[in-house]
């Protein structure tokens, strides 16, 4: 049934229309319209003088009933306009998500149609639903003081929808009639047309309606978009902006893509042209487009008929030119050619537009369509099989890859950084087409990396080719500069690159492969000039306009002609230090009154070092005054120059097991996968789950999204200094020997003792020729042993017989044995496998016929077997003896073609990594027996089905 609007009188009037219908008894539907005054309505909700379209009274008891209430309070004159028609539908089972979505759209469209420049100041729609005794309420309201064109900045439109069922509820806020939502947002209700009372409601079940599933609302959150602190720190409010024509794709691919992006944690702004009023793009929409990293227009047959969509597209093109933002178009039921050349429905649209708009506007729209139509995007009609789910998944993965490339994670607690950002922006963020290199230097922990990341994020939208290399100094020491050269090539060329075997080869390859690339590179913690030579060589290798940012504690690194600017980052002033400290100690910008004096003293003692402020603030979070007083007394005894000793206060707050884990990370496991190291700590009864949580809470470590352990340089140095001090600076008594030269010296001089728990050795020519056979036997408490031959000096003849011929096997306490680049003549039979839980033989040169496999079968407690990069391995060994194995890593075994059927006996296997095993074509049938398997990594293999 259609209900016509009463528009006989064109004067300002109050009206109220009520529509009720029952889906079980359509004949019970009723519509009433009342034009009585507002004051009278307040006194009588039945509305005297109402015009009614007669229908039997609806029976609400035990029926699903739907009612819509639309009211108007006229305070201004309005122009002549046709009123909306409200269809009453009663043939749909209620409530369903589809009907809720349809009802929402009908309500919005009807309210907007009624209010589009013609109706007056207060409009609301409400609905109550009930089915089987389960109440469901739905309401929509529009409030406006004066109906004027939307260009007026004073015009404020507020619309709200509220959906609740039982204890579950979802709230939606709309600004300028574009819907946005949040976990905590204001829902509005009106007792009359003159008053609106806003309340706060928590969304308990927002997942039921995808477009209402949003993180916590912020001041900058509008429409269907949501912002995050991570987006803001990169200079953008949103990750993605979606532009589409509502009737064409709203309930189809647009909704699917939007919810998929949100599920992937991508902060997305969704605009709907049907919810727009007026001719021009409002300031909020301009801001959303300008502050979105990726812009996705969804071209459909009706897209060009919407002036809103065309205006948005023109703004996207402007942002692409001026801000280098990425546009990724989707062609849905239209071809790129139709968009580019305005053919088909796009030509029809412009026939209509040319009657209403001047040539300048038409030309701007056509130019935007041509530019975006020529861009690489997704053409669904060209797909072999039209599978929208497959397309959406591909789009989401592409967006994730683009965002990952262009954005680095930065802490939320930023204080006093903007001044430094502006200074460096002035140096490197202009339009200069020169190749500019800027060096940021300062003491450890002062915030160099954070500042450099912010600059990198703000520049990244201008570059297709970006690379961030962290911890250059330490990574080059542990893995060699070749590892960093491989990373640089992989990130810039966007493909896995691991071919660099020596530094000179890497320099030559970088020069050849990256020549002609306009790049943005951030090199973090460079401490030697050779690092710069090996990674960026001469700036002329790159295209004009390239930017390179370097951080270092050593200013001598920057004493080269290629570095254009240097910037010294010093400690924070007192006020900034106090603010940063309070963020970590109290979760606010200033101290509690009773802790003000304590806080001032702490800030004075830390000397303005951000790391010290963060760590000590985290330590004191939620602690009593007694703890604060005791902490201050400790700090007073330490000169503020001695940052390490200050940080040791946090170390002393740990229990013995937590201290053990902290020292292990500081000396051995920075950059290691937490999931692997846990096995050794668990086997040593250190309760690592609790320990790692405490270390994170006290800001002593961080665990990245890739599960890698991270520790700041100052804290790492603190831990290593503690190990040295525990043995009175006598290396032979150290519990952990992480320095290869010191470790080799201890072994060669036969100074090792049972105090040593961890040892890192490199086999060079000296060790090969004169290794003392019995020395390792003295290290009876060794838990971790790392041995890496230096391949350039490796002479295997006679070495195994003279080095490790011991019987019975030694090192019964050994939990972790790491032997990289192991030659096949070395079989490891000298080492006890009784307590071995982690065996890492990465990049070794043995095959499946290696004699050492028989000895390894004795490792009955083995949890992790890492055979990464074993290039000669064509078939996995018999694994039946390792029934406790949880992780099997075979990544980059280039010749692997078969997995032994014994893998089916590994009932506790959780991870099977086969990435980059390019010749592997099939998986064994026994894989179905792996009940605990959670991760199966087979990308870049030849496997086509599982």
């Amino acid at each position: 049934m259609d209900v016509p609007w009463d528009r006989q009188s064109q004067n300002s009037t109050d009206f109220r229309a009520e529509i009720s219908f029952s889906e079980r008894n359509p004949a019970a539907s009723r519509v009433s319209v009342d034009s009585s005054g507002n004051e009278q309505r307040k006194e009588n909700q039945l509305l005297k003088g109402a015009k009614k379209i007669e229908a039997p009274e609806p029976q609400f008891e035990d029926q699903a009933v739907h009612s819509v209430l639309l009211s108007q309070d006229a305070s201004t004159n309005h122009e002549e306009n046709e009123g909306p028609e409200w269809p009453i539908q009663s043939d749909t089972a209620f409530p369903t998500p589809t009907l809720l979505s349809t009802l929402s759209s009908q309500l919005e469209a009807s309210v907007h149609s009624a209010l589009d420049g013609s109706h007056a100041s207060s409009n609301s729609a409400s609905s109550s639903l009930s089915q089987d005794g389960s109440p469901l309420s739905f309401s929509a309201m529009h409030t406006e003081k004066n109906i004027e064109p939307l260009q007026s900045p004073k015009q404020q439109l507020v619309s709200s929808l509220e959906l609740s069922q039982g204890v579950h509820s979802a709230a939606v806020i709309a600004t300028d009639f574009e819907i946005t939502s949040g976990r905590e947002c204001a829902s509005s209700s009106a007792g009359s047309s003159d008053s609106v009372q806003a309340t706060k409601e928590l969304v308990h079940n927002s997942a039921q309606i995808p477009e209402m599933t949003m993180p916590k609302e912020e001041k900058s959150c509008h429409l269907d978009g949501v912002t995050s602190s991570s987006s803001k720190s990169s200079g953008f409010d949103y990750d993605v902006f979606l532009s589409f024509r509502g009737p064409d794709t709203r309930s189809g691919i647009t909704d699917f893509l939007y919810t998929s992006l949100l599920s992937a944690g991508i902060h997305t702004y969704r605009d709907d042209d049907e919810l727009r009023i007026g001719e021009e793009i409002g300031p909020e929409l301009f801001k959303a487009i300008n502050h979105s990293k990726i812009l996705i227009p969804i071209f459909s047959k009706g897209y060009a008929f919407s002036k809103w969509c065309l205006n948005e597209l023109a703004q996207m093109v402007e942002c692409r030119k001026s801000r280098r933002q990425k546009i990724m178009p989707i062609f849905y039921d239209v071809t790129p050619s139709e968009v580019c050349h305005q053919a088909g429905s796009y030509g029809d649209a412009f026939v209509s537009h040319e009657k209403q708009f001047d040539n300048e506007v038409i030309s701007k729209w056509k130019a935007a369509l041509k530019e975006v139509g020529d861009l690489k995007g997704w053409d669904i009609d060209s797909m072999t099989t039209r599978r929208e789910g497959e397309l959406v998944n591909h789009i989401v993965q592409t967006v994730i890859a683009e965002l990952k490339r262009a954005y680095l994670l930065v802490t939320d607690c930023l204080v006093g950084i903007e001044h430094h950002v502006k200074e460096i922006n002035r140096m490197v963020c202009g339009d200069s087409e020169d190749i500019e290199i800027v060096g940021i230097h300062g003491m450890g922990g002062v915030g160099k990396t954070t500042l450099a990341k912010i600059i990198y994020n703000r520049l990244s939208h201008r570059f297709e080719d970006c690379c961030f290399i962290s911890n250059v100094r330490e990574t080059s020491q542990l893995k060699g500069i070749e590892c960093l050269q491989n990373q640089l090539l992989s990130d810039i060329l966007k493909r896995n690159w691991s071919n660099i075997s020596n530094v000179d080869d890497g320099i030559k390859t970088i020069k050849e492969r990256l020549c002609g690339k306009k790049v943005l590179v951030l090199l973090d913690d460079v401490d030697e000039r050779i690092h710069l030579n090996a990674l960026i060589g001469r700036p002329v290798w790159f295209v004009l306009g390239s930017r390179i940012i370097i951080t270092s504690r050593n200013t001598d690194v920057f004493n080269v002609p290629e570095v254009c600017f240097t910037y010294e980052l010093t400690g924070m002033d007192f006020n900034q230090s106090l603010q940063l400290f309070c963020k970590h100690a109290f979760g606010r910008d200033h101290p509690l009154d009773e802790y003000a004096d304590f806080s001032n003293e702490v800030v004075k003692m830390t000397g303005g070092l951000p790391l010290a402020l963060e760590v000590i603030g985290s330590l004191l979070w939620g602690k009593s005054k007694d703890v604060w007083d005791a902490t201050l007394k400790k700090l007073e005894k330490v000169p503020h120059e001695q940052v390490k000793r200050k940080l040791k206060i946090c170390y002393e707050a740990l229990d013995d097991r937590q201290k053990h884990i902290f020292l292990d990370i500081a000396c051995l496991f920075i950059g290691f996968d937490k999931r692997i190291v846990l096995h050794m700590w668990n086997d040593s009864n250190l309760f690592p789950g609790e320990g790692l949580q405490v270390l994170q809470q006290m800001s002593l470590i961080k665990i990245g999204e890739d599960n890698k352990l991270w520790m700041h340089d100052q804290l790492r140095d603190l831990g290593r200094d503690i190990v040295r001090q525990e043995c009175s600076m006598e290396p032979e008594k150290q519990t952990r020997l992480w320095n290869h030269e010191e470790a080799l010296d201890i072994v060669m001089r036969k100074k090792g003792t049972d105090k040593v728990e961890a040892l890192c050795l490199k086999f060079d020519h000296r060790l090969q020729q004169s290794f003392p056979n019995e020395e390792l036997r003295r290290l009876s408490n060794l838990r971790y042993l790392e041995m890496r031959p230096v391949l350039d000096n490796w002479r295997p003849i006679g070495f195994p017989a003279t080095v490790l011929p011991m019987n019975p096997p030694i090192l019964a306490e050994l939990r972790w044995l790491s032997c990289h680049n192991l030659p096949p003549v070395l079989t490891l039979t000298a080492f006890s496998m009784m307590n071995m839980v982690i065996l890492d033989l990465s990049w070794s040169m043995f095959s499946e016929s290696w004699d050492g496999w028989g000895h390894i079968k004795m490792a009955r407690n083995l949890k992790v077997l890492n055979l990464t990069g074993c290039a000669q391995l064509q078939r996995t060994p018999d694994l039946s003896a390792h029934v406790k194995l949880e992780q099997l890593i075979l990544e980059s075994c280039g010749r692997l073609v078969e997995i032994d059927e014994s893998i089916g006996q590994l009932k506790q296997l959780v991870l099977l990594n086969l990435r980059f095993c390019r010749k592997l074509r099939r998986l064994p049938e026994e894989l179905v027996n792996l009940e605990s398997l959670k991760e199966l990594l087979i990308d870049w293999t030849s496997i086509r089905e599982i």
Side-chain angles (χ1 to χ4, degrees):
M1 167 170 42
D2 291 339
V3 182
W5 216 264
D6 178 19
R7 298 303 306 271
Q8 295 179 359
S9 173
Q10 300 304 313
N11 297 323
S12 301
T13 60
D14 295 342
F15 79 91
R16 177 182 176 103
E18 183 174 1
I19 306 171
S20 301
F21 61 89
S22 168
E23 57 112 359
R24 298 185 182 180
N25 183 13
S29 300
R30 180 182 66 180
V31 177
S32 64
V33 179
D34 172 39
S35 57
S36 62
N38 186 40
E39 292 299 319
Q40 187 176 7
R41 187 184 304 122
K42 291 180 181 179
E43 297 175 2
N44 188 352
Q45 292 296 326
L46 295 178
L47 307 177
K48 295 180 181 180
K51 294 168 55 179
K52 293 185 179 180
I53 300 176
E54 296 296 339
E57 290 288 321
Q59 301 299 316
F60 295 100
E61 183 176 354
D62 196 30
Q63 293 189 24
V65 177
H66 169 222
S67 68
V68 176
L69 180 64
L70 183 65
S71 66
Q72 171 176 292
D73 172 23
S75 60
T76 62
N77 293 330
H78 46 75
E79 300 175 0
E80 183 174 351
N81 190 21
E82 290 184 4
E85 294 184 351
W86 285 70
I88 295 184
Q89 302 173 345
S90 57
D91 56 351
T92 306
F94 215 100
T96 67
T98 301
L99 183 54
L100 289 174
S101 178
T102 302
L103 175 60
S104 173
S105 299
Q106 289 175 344
L107 283 171
E108 294 164 8
S110 299
V111 170
H112 285 291
S113 177
L115 298 175
D116 188 6
S118 58
H119 287 215
S121 65
S122 179
N123 299 273
S124 65
S126 65
S127 169
S128 60
L129 309 167
S130 174
Q131 183 179 35
D132 299 327
S134 179
L136 182 67
S137 66
F138 180 96
S139 66
M141 178 184 63
H142 166 70
T143 301
E144 182 187 359
K145 292 299 182 184
N146 188 16
I147 300 295
E148 297 176 356
L150 275 182
Q151 293 91 322
S152 170
K154 294 182 179 179
Q155 181 183 19
Q156 299 294 328
L157 303 179
V158 181
S159 172
S160 70
L161 293 171
E162 180 178 344
L163 177 66
S164 62
Q165 185 171 15
V167 296
H168 303 299
S169 66
V172 179
I173 300 299
T175 303
D176 290 355
F177 288 105
E178 290 93 32
I179 303 301
T180 186
S181 58
R183 287 182 182 166
E184 188 175 1
C185 44
S187 65
S188 301
S189 61
S192 70
S193 60
D194 294 328
S195 64
V196 178
Q197 181 180 2
T199 61
K200 300 287 280 182
E201 290 197 359
L202 184 66
V203 173
H204 296 287
N205 197 19
S206 59
Q208 294 179 355
I209 304 177
E211 57 259 37
M212 294 183 183
T213 307
M214 310 288 283
K216 186 174 181 179
E217 183 186 22
E218 301 183 18
K219 291 181 179 180
S220 57
C221 178
H222 301 283
L223 302 179
D224 276 347
V226 61
T227 65
S228 72
S229 57
S230 62
S231 293
K232 289 179 179 178
S233 61
S234 66
F236 293 94
D237 290 335
Y238 303 96
D239 294 323
V240 173
F241 179 95
L242 294 180
S243 173
F244 64 98
R245 183 73 192 276
D248 293 353
T249 65
R250 181 199 299 110
S251 60
I253 189 173
T254 296
D255 186 65
F256 190 11
L257 176 59
Y258 176 69
T259 54
S260 297
L261 289 169
L262 287 186
S263 298
I266 298 170
H267 306 296
T268 306
Y269 185 112
R270 176 174 58 177
D271 183 45
D272 191 334
D273 70 298
E274 282 206 339
L275 300 182
R276 290 290 178 189
I277 303 174
E279 300 291 334
E280 302 295 332
I281 297 180
E284 295 298 335
L285 188 56
F286 262 118
K287 181 181 178 183
I289 295 174
N290 293 343
H291 290 82
S292 295
K293 300 175 190 174
I294 297 175
L295 309 169
I296 301 181
I298 304 175
F299 292 118
S300 58
K301 288 188 178 298
Y303 187 92
F305 283 94
S306 168
K307 58 183 178 292
W308 276 101
C309 291
L310 295 174
N311 281 332
E312 290 173 1
L313 189 70
Q315 182 63 20
M316 290 182 198
V317 170
E318 180 63 28
C319 288
R320 181 173 182 262
K321 293 177 180 177
S322 62
R323 296 170 57 85
R324 308 292 179 90
Q325 288 162 255
K326 189 92 169 180
I327 299 180
M328 297 180 174
I330 300 173
F331 301 94
Y332 188 85
D333 285 339
V334 294
T335 65
S337 178
E338 287 180 83
V339 174
C340 185
H341 302 293
Q342 295 90 58
S345 62
Y346 281 62
D348 297 337
F350 273 90
V351 171
S352 174
H353 291 324
E354 287 170 355
K355 298 176 183 178
Q356 305 177 49
F357 302 97
D358 59 38
N359 291 335
E360 183 179 353
V361 173
I362 295 295
S363 298
K364 180 178 69 173
W365 288 347
K366 286 186 176 182
L369 287 169
K370 185 177 189 324
E371 180 168 338
V372 180
D374 281 334
L375 296 177
K376 183 180 179 181
W378 295 277
D379 182 4
I380 193 169
D381 286 337
S382 68
M383 297 174 61
T384 306
T385 56
R386 186 185 172 107
R387 297 177 179 173
E388 294 184 10
E390 182 178 321
L391 173 65
V392 167
N393 181 63
H394 178 62
I395 293 172
V396 171
Q397 293 305 315
T398 303
V399 169
I400 290 173
E402 180 68 21
L403 293 173
K404 181 180 180 181
R405 176 189 66 81
Y407 172 69
L408 302 177
L409 189 63
V410 178
T411 178
D412 293 338
C413 297
L414 295 174
V415 175
I417 198 75
E418 195 59 34
H419 166 72
H420 303 297
V421 171
K422 289 180 179 178
E423 286 296 310
I424 297 181
N425 277 343
R426 184 176 55 81
M427 299 177 184
V428 300
C429 296
D431 295 326
S432 171
E433 285 302 314
D434 293 334
I435 299 171
E436 295 182 348
I437 302 178
V438 60
I440 303 174
H441 61 93
M443 65 178 297
V446 78
K448 300 183 299 295
T449 301
T450 298
L451 175 60
K453 284 182 175 181
I454 294 174
I455 300 298
Y456 178 97
N457 287 339
R458 297 193 180 185
L459 286 172
S460 61
H461 69 277
R462 299 165 51 184
F463 295 85
E464 290 292 332
D465 301 311
C466 305
C467 178
F468 166 53
I469 300 182
S470 64
N471 302 316
V472 170
R473 177 175 53 83
E474 184 165 11
T475 304
S476 64
Q477 291 175 356
L478 295 177
K479 301 179 181 180
I481 197 69
E482 300 91 341
C483 174
L484 301 177
Q485 291 175 322
N486 281 322
Q487 181 187 340
L488 178 66
L489 289 164
S490 298
D491 288 353
I492 299 297
L493 299 178
K494 300 176 180 63
R495 52 165 290 190
N496 184 58
W497 196 285
S498 57
N499 301 330
I500 304 302
S501 58
N502 61 72
V503 175
D504 290 341
D505 179 46
I507 293 174
K508 179 175 179 291
T509 304
I510 291 171
K511 178 180 178 181
E512 293 174 350
R513 300 299 181 188
L514 303 190
C515 180
K517 295 280 188 181
K518 180 180 177 180
V519 301
L520 171 64
V521 177
L522 169 53
L523 304 178
D524 177 48
D525 193 18
V526 178
D527 71 336
E528 297 183 50
R529 293 184 191 178
I530 59 172
H531 296 155
L532 296 184
N533 295 332
L535 292 169
I536 62 173
R538 300 182 61 191
V540 293
W541 293 354
F542 307 108
V543 165
L544 293 176
S546 294
R547 298 290 186 268
I548 299 171
I549 307 168
I550 306 165
T551 71
S552 178
R553 284 184 276 187
N554 181 9
T555 58
D556 185 59
V557 170
F558 304 134
N559 290 328
V560 292
E562 290 81 6
V563 176
C564 307
F565 309 101
T566 60
Y567 187 84
E568 181 179 6
L569 186 60
T570 57
M572 308 173 78
D573 64 30
F574 181 85
N575 291 332
Q576 292 171 343
S577 298
L578 181 61
Q579 183 181 356
L580 180 61
F581 173 76
C582 291
K583 282 180 178 291
H584 292 283
F586 305 106
R588 50 193 271 180
D589 289 342
H590 51 85
L592 300 174
D593 291 342
E594 59 270 31
Y595 288 89
D597 292 338
F598 285 124
S599 299
N600 291 338
E601 288 301 314
V602 171
V603 169
K604 290 177 183 178
M605 294 175 183
T606 55
L609 187 67
L611 177 62
L613 293 164
E614 177 184 347
V615 171
I616 298 172
S618 299
L619 169 67
L620 295 173
W621 172 278
K623 297 298 192 298
S624 66
K625 287 186 177 182
D626 290 340
V627 174
W628 278 67
D629 186 58
T631 302
L632 279 173
K633 289 179 179 178
K634 288 185 177 181
L635 287 172
E636 287 173 353
K637 299 177 181 179
V638 181
H640 83 267
E641 294 83 6
Q642 303 297 324
V643 176
K644 292 179 183 178
R645 294 178 62 188
K646 292 181 179 179
L647 296 178
K648 193 174 180 180
I649 297 170
C650 302
Y651 171 80
E652 291 175 347
L654 303 173
D655 64 31
D656 289 342
R657 291 184 174 88
Q658 293 161 3
K659 288 179 179 178
H660 194 110
I661 293 173
F662 174 82
L663 295 178
D664 272 352
I665 296 173
C667 298
L668 305 168
F669 299 133
I670 294 175
F672 279 56
D673 191 322
K674 174 198 71 173
R675 296 169 297 182
I676 293 178
V677 188
L678 279 174
H679 293 296
M680 188 180 79
W681 288 329
N682 275 322
D683 198 71
S684 302
N685 297 316
L686 294 178
F687 304 102
E690 176 193 13
L692 290 176
Q693 183 179 11
V694 171
L695 293 179
Q696 287 185 90
Q697 289 173 347
M698 299 179 68
S699 297
L700 291 172
I701 66 166
K702 288 182 173 62
I703 300 176
E705 295 178 356
D706 55 357
N707 288 299
K708 297 295 179 62
L709 295 167
W710 180 89
M711 180 181 289
H712 194 279
D713 290 350
Q714 288 292 315
L715 292 167
R716 178 204 60 203
D717 294 343
L718 167 70
R720 294 179 177 184
D721 187 64
I722 290 171
V723 172
R724 292 189 182 102
Q725 295 297 330
E726 286 177 344
C727 64
S728 301
M729 302 298 291
E730 298 181 42
E732 59 269 21
K733 296 180 181 180
Q734 281 184 202
T735 56
R736 301 160 181 86
L737 289 166
W738 59 90
N739 183 283
H740 291 279
E741 293 184 0
E742 288 184 1
L744 179 59
D745 184 68
I746 296 297
V747 173
M748 296 296 292
R749 292 194 297 113
K750 300 181 181 181
K751 294 291 185 179
T753 69
D754 57 3
K755 298 288 185 182
V756 180
E757 299 178 9
L759 183 68
C760 299
L761 284 173
K762 282 184 179 177
F763 288 140
D764 64 7
H765 64 283
R766 289 187 300 161
L767 183 62
Q768 292 168 223
Q769 295 172 0
S770 56
F771 190 91
N773 293 347
E774 296 295 325
E775 184 56 25
L776 287 178
R777 190 183 299 277
R778 297 163 60 93
L779 310 178
S780 57
N781 287 318
L782 201 65
R783 297 179 300 119
Y784 176 88
L785 176 60
E786 174 184 315
M787 299 192 305
R788 299 189 181 184
V790 180
L791 297 182
D792 292 342
N793 296 318
W794 180 257
R795 301 182 184 89
I797 299 175
F799 180 66
T802 59
V803 176
L804 304 171
M806 304 170 189
N807 191 21
I810 60 172
L811 305 181
E813 296 300 317
L814 197 61
R815 262 68 173 177
W816 188 330
L817 177 60
S818 178
C819 292
H820 288 194
N821 301 307
L822 193 69
V825 293
L826 193 58
T827 61
L828 304 181
T829 53
F831 298 109
S832 171
M833 294 287 163
M834 180 173 59
N835 290 311
M836 194 76 65
V837 292
I838 302 169
L839 182 58
D840 183 359
L841 303 177
S842 298
W843 310 105
S844 295
M845 295 170 281
F846 48 66
S847 67
E848 60 276 6
S849 59
W850 180 49
D851 292 336
W853 294 122
H855 182 63
I856 291 175
K857 286 183 178 181
M858 300 174 61
R860 302 289 180 176
N861 295 316
L862 196 64
K863 297 295 182 69
V864 179
L865 177 58
N866 189 352
L867 301 176
T868 295
C870 293
Q872 303 301 318
L873 198 64
Q874 298 183 38
R875 175 191 174 101
T876 59
D878 180 5
L879 301 169
S880 58
H882 308 301
V883 294
K884 295 183 179 181
L885 196 67
E886 296 186 16
Q887 295 188 38
L888 178 58
I889 305 171
L890 299 164
E891 181 172 336
S892 297
C893 292
R895 297 187 181 181
L896 186 68
V897 295
E898 184 178 358
I899 298 177
D900 189 85
E901 61 185 14
S902 61
I903 196 173
Q905 301 180 41
L906 308 182
K907 304 296 184 181
Q908 297 182 31
L909 193 68
V910 175
L911 167 69
L912 176 58
N913 185 350
L914 301 171
R915 298 176 73 242
F916 296 102
C917 295
R918 299 178 185 275
K919 292 189 177 181
L920 187 63
R921 297 183 178 275
R922 68 178 189 87
L923 296 171
E925 296 179 357
E926 289 77 12
L927 219 60
V928 299
N929 299 325
L930 304 184
E931 303 169 353
S932 302
L933 189 64
K934 295 181 180 179
E935 290 187 70
L936 175 62
L937 306 179
I938 59 172
D939 45 322
W940 296 97
T941 67
S942 297
I943 299 171
R944 293 294 175 262
E945 60 181 74
I946 300 178

